[in-house]
């Protein structure tokens, strides 16, 4: 079965309550996407193939020398693979599994946080516009760099637009600091939500080291 | 999986742009960036004419490890105040292999908080491998900041040396004009002796060399790296400055005109303010701010509308405790205060002379008696 084809797996229509949350998030969205945003119900499907990556987060601490990023990857069967740097207390590869409900909750969280809609150029423009109203400037040295990937077999935000496969890659530097400095750019807060949901995978107590 | 990875690789090239413009690129000076390559950040208190600056450094008393930070922070302050360039500053010292040395980290982050950036490109978007982070600080040469770096190590194969081939990547690193050797220091540091304009390089050089340890080894300086080079290793201490650290600080001290001798020159001294929540540079363990360590500053322009000079108005060093599940590592807090170590030979020599004089004196007194 092709990667991009719609599978017979879970059809993740977001519930009405979740849709309401999404509408609130959209209402506060910055820039041009805010103007066009409508309170719609995003729908999505994702692969249940154990070999297919659904989501991944990589967090790089700028000041740690060498290949020292922390990574969590989630696959279609709910398998979670976490990798820690060699200098960490629990170095190397660890694994656990999400049950179907947990996996679906995770993907739903990412969708509700509008990760599929995140447009870095638009968000940067919104940041720039807010910065232009301030007399001071800010800089964060050695800030964390977060990278997030999301793969959906089908995603539909606007019912008027046909659903399509989604391969999303987002990276942002100094996300925590930017979110605090530019509270009007709610897309950053949404990205924090997505980051935190995925980063929690690294903190699960049921992770087991894999030789 | 394979297909997804392949697709992502191409996707990365296409969309790897979302660094915020306020701090997208770290350079030799903080705030230097694509389109603002000439920007220099100065320590807190500089107004464009101040002759002498004192920058207070304190530890947030509510911070984790507050008491343990006191000695390392004071040591770092003393080292910056000494402005002494050293070689062989990469040591194991007393740092356990599995731990990160907080004193070395503090030295680096405080450097950021007084305006210094990284001599290397560091962990920027689009830098393909961890080894590539050691290329000399630059922009990617593209106003859209698309991350299309030109990273060629040149014929010597060593990243960060003077034969690197960097295409249109615009250099941000101030090099010594006479020799492009970051492990030496000119007697006067200003725009007459240092430049980031590649046309000022020695004739055979292609790019500004940086003070990475491998570059140092290639030039004959073993175990040497400047403190501001991004990247801290576990089990390693780096508690004294490199030549380039001193040069960069002193370049900033040449003021708005970048020339030593003007009325805009300044000197800077750091002072330890102890455990208090308010000072120019506040150090705090705060897991919400960083997964390892960062210096967060706010600044204001000194030369509007040119905006090539910024004075830092507030600064915070944030450090992660390393105790959260999913981000667990250990810090080492050096307990040895500078100046309290075993006296070196000259001191022992003085002591021996004093003992000799005392002994002879006692004998003379006995004979007289």
């Amino acid at each position: 079965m092709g990667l991009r084809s719609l599978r017979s797996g879970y059809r993740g229509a977001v519930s009405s309550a979740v849709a309401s949350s999404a509408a609130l998030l959209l209402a506060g969205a910055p820039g041009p996407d805010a103007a066009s945003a409508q309170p719609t119900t995003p729908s999505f499907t994702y692969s249940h193939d154990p070999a297919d990556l659904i989501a991944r987060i990589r967090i790089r601490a700028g000041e740690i020398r060498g290949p020292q990023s922390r990574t969590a990857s989630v696959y279609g069967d709910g398998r979670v693979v976490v990798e820690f740097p060699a200098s960490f207390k629990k170095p190397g590869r660890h694994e656990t599994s999400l049950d179907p409900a947990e996996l679906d909750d995770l993907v739903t969280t990412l969708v509700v946080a509008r990760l599929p809609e995140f447009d870095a150029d638009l968000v940067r423009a919104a940041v720039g516009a807010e910065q232009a109203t301030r007399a001071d400037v800010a800089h964060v040295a050695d800030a964390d760099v977060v990278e997030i990937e999301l793969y959906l077999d089908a995603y539909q935000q606007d019912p008027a637009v046909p659903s399509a496969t989604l391969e999303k890659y987002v990276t942002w530097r100094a996300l925590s600091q930017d979110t605090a400095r530019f509270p009007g750019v709610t897309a950053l807060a949404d990205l924090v939500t997505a980051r935190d949901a995925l980063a929690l995978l690294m903190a699960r107590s049921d992770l087991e080291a894999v030789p | 999986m394979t297909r997804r990875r392949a697709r992502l690789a191409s996707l990365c090239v296409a969309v790897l742009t979302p660094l915020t413009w306020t701090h997208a690129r770290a350079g030799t000076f903080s705030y230097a960036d694509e389109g603002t390559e000439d920007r220099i950040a100065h320590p807190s208190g500089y107004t464009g004419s101040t002759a002498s600056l004192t920058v207070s450094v304190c530890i947030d008393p509510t911070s984790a490890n507050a008491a343990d930070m006191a000695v390392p922070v004071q040591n770092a302050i003393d080292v910056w105040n000494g402005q002494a360039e050293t070689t062989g500053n990469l040591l194991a010292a007393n740092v356990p292999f599995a731990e990160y040395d907080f004193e070395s980290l503090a030295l680096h982050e405080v450097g950021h908080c007084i305006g210094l950036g990284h001599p290397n490109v560091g962990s920027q978007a689009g830098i393909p491998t961890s080894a590539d982070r050691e290329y000399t600080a630059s922009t990617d040469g593209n106003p859209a900041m698309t991350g299309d770096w030109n990273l060629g190590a040149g014929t010597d194969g060593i990243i960060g040396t003077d034969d690197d081939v960097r295409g249109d990547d615009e250099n941000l690193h101030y090099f010594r004009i006479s020799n492009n050797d970051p492990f030496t220091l000119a007697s006067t540091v200003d725009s007459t002796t240092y430049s980031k304009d590649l046309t000022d390089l020695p004739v055979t050089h292609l790019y500004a060399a940086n003070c990475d340890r491998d570059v140092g080894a290639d030039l004959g300086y073993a175990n040497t790296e400047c403190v501001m080079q991004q990247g801290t290793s576990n089990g390693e201490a780096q508690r004294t400055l490199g030549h380039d650290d001193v040069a960069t600080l002193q370049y900033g001290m040449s003021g708005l005109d970048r020339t030593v001798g003007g009325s805009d020159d300044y000197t800077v001294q750091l002072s330890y303010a102890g455990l208090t929540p308010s000072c120019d540079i506040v150090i705090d363990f705060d897991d919400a701010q960083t997964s390892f360590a960062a210096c967060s500053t706010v600044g204001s322009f000194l030369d509007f509308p040119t905006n090539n000079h910024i004075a830092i108005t507030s600064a915070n060093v944030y450090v992660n405790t390393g105790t959260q599940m999913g981000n667990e590592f250990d810090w080492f807090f050096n307990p040895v205060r500078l100046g309290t170590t075993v006296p070196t030979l000259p001191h022992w020599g003085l002591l021996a002379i004093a003992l000799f004089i005392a002994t002879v004196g006692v004998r003379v007194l006995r004979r007289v008696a």
Side-chain angles (χ1 to χ4, degrees):
Chain A
M1 187 173 288
L3 179 68
R4 285 174 176 271
S5 65
L6 287 173
R7 292 185 175 82
S8 57
Y10 178 83
R11 174 79 183 172
V14 180
S15 69
S16 58
V18 169
S20 298
S21 301
L24 289 173
L25 289 164
L26 290 167
D33 59 341
S36 61
Q38 298 296 320
T40 56
T41 302
S43 61
F44 59 89
T45 62
Y46 54 86
S47 169
H48 286 248
D49 188 326
D52 281 345
L53 179 66
I54 305 300
R56 173 178 287 156
I57 185 169
R58 178 176 291 111
I59 299 175
R60 283 187 286 136
E63 179 51 20
I64 298 182
R65 184 179 177 87
Q68 300 281 24
S69 58
R70 294 178 292 144
T71 305
S73 307
V74 187
Y75 293 89
D77 60 349
R79 185 168 56 101
V80 175
V81 178
V82 174
E83 291 172 274
F84 294 122
S87 60
F88 276 40
K89 286 184 178 178
K90 298 172 184 172
R93 184 183 175 106
H94 298 69
E95 288 191 10
T96 188
S97 284
L98 303 180
D99 63 38
E102 286 178 310
L103 176 58
D104 196 60
D105 283 347
L106 175 64
V107 180
T108 299
T109 297
L110 301 179
V111 170
V112 170
R114 304 191 313 126
L115 184 62
E117 306 296 323
F118 191 91
D119 185 322
D121 289 336
L122 285 179
V123 177
R124 277 203 299 171
V127 166
E130 198 163 317
Q131 173 61 47
T133 66
R134 308 177 65 137
D136 60 8
V137 288
H139 176 92
V140 185
D142 298 326
D144 288 350
V145 178
V146 62
E147 300 173 54
I148 298 175
E149 302 168 39
L150 177 63
Y151 301 93
L152 300 176
D153 282 346
Y155 172 76
Q156 186 179 39
Q157 163 68 24
D158 183 348
V161 178
S163 65
T165 57
L166 178 89
E167 295 181 354
K168 191 71 178 182
Y169 173 83
V170 172
T171 181
W172 201 270
R173 184 180 178 279
L175 178 60
S176 297
Q177 290 82 3
D178 280 356
T179 304
R181 182 169 169 81
F182 304 108
V185 185
T186 57
L188 291 174
D190 292 340
L191 191 57
V192 167
T193 300
R195 178 198 67 185
D196 291 350
L198 288 166
L200 276 176
L201 298 172
M202 302 178 187
R204 287 177 65 104
S205 58
D206 57 355
L207 284 170
E208 293 185 359
V210 177
Chain B
M1 263 304 294
T2 304
R3 291 171 60 195
R4 283 194 172 170
R5 282 181 176 160
R7 279 202 206 100
L8 181 62
S10 59
L11 199 62
C12 288
V13 173
V15 301
L16 200 62
T17 60
L19 296 174
T20 46
W21 67 271
T22 50
H23 41 61
R25 307 268 196 273
T28 301
F29 285 96
S30 298
Y31 295 90
D33 200 345
E34 184 80 46
T36 58
E37 293 86 351
D38 289 335
R39 193 166 282 176
I40 290 180
H42 302 278
S44 177
Y46 184 55
T47 63
S49 59
T50 309
S52 178
L53 305 176
T54 300
V55 177
S56 57
V57 182
C58 62
I59 296 167
D60 187 327
T62 65
S63 171
N65 305 311
D68 290 334
M69 285 192 275
V71 166
V73 166
Q74 290 177 82
N75 286 347
I77 289 170
D78 289 349
V79 168
W80 275 115
N81 286 341
Q83 292 182 36
E85 70 277 19
T86 61
T87 54
N89 65 341
L90 292 170
L91 307 163
N94 53 351
V95 185
F97 178 75
E99 300 180 14
Y100 288 97
D101 183 39
F102 177 80
E103 183 169 320
S104 304
L105 185 281
L107 193 63
H108 178 90
E109 298 302 337
V110 167
H112 285 311
C113 288
I114 56 176
L116 307 188
H118 297 132
N120 54 328
V121 292
S123 58
Q124 298 187 40
I127 300 297
T129 70
S130 57
D132 291 330
R133 296 181 198 170
E134 307 307 337
Y135 278 101
T136 297
S138 72
T139 72
D140 63 9
N142 188 328
M145 295 191 293
T146 52
D148 54 344
W149 304 91
N150 297 281
L151 306 173
T155 54
D156 65 5
I158 302 171
I159 291 170
T161 57
D162 59 34
D163 73 341
D164 284 3
V165 180
R166 298 294 305 277
D168 66 355
D169 292 357
E170 186 161 350
N171 175 49
L172 293 173
H173 184 255
Y174 288 82
F175 56 87
R176 189 177 179 186
I177 294 170
S178 65
N179 61 8
N180 188 27
D181 182 342
F183 301 92
T184 64
L185 181 67
S187 56
T188 297
V189 179
D190 63 11
S191 59
T192 66
T193 53
Y194 284 78
S195 172
K196 62 178 184 59
D197 184 344
L198 296 179
T199 62
D200 291 332
L201 283 169
V203 172
T204 58
H205 293 197
L206 300 179
Y207 214 77
N210 70 49
C211 42
D212 172 63
R213 62 191 67 192
D214 292 337
V215 180
D218 182 56
L219 294 173
Y221 310 99
N223 301 316
T224 304
E225 187 172 87
C226 57
V227 163
M228 295 314 298
Q229 192 88 359
Q230 189 188 38
T232 293
S233 295
N234 56 293
E236 183 176 88
Q238 190 182 20
R239 298 172 181 162
T240 61
L241 303 178
H243 295 68
D244 199 67
D245 302 313
V246 178
T248 310
L249 180 63
Q250 293 185 352
Y251 189 95
M253 289 162 56
S254 67
L256 302 184
D257 64 3
R258 306 173 191 233
T259 304
V260 168
S263 60
D264 57 351
D265 294 3
Y266 62 88
T267 60
V268 58
Q269 284 282 296
L270 307 181
S271 69
Y272 180 59
L275 275 65
T276 174
S278 181
C279 66
D280 295 319
I281 300 173
V282 183
I283 303 177
D284 180 24
F285 274 79
D286 185 342
D287 292 349
Q289 293 288 338
T290 176
S291 70
F292 188 70
C295 166
S296 181
T297 61
V298 175
S300 58
F301 293 113
L302 292 169
D303 57 342
F304 182 84
T306 310
N307 294 340
N308 276 337
H309 292 271
I310 286 175
I312 291 170
T313 53
S314 70
N316 293 80
V317 172
Y318 295 116
V319 188
N320 190 287
T321 59
T323 59
Q324 289 180 309
M325 283 189 69
N327 193 34
E328 296 169 276
F329 55 89
D330 283 321
W331 288 106
F332 174 74
F333 297 92
N334 180 21
V336 182
R337 184 78 175 91
L338 280 178
T340 62
T341 51
V342 176
T344 52
L345 278 176
H347 298 96
W348 285 114
L350 290 173
L351 187 61
I353 292 169
L355 284 170
F356 176 76
I357 292 172
T359 304
V360 171
V362 168
R363 286 178 180 170
V364 169
L365 286 174
R366 281 179 178 168
R367 286 183 182 175
V368 170

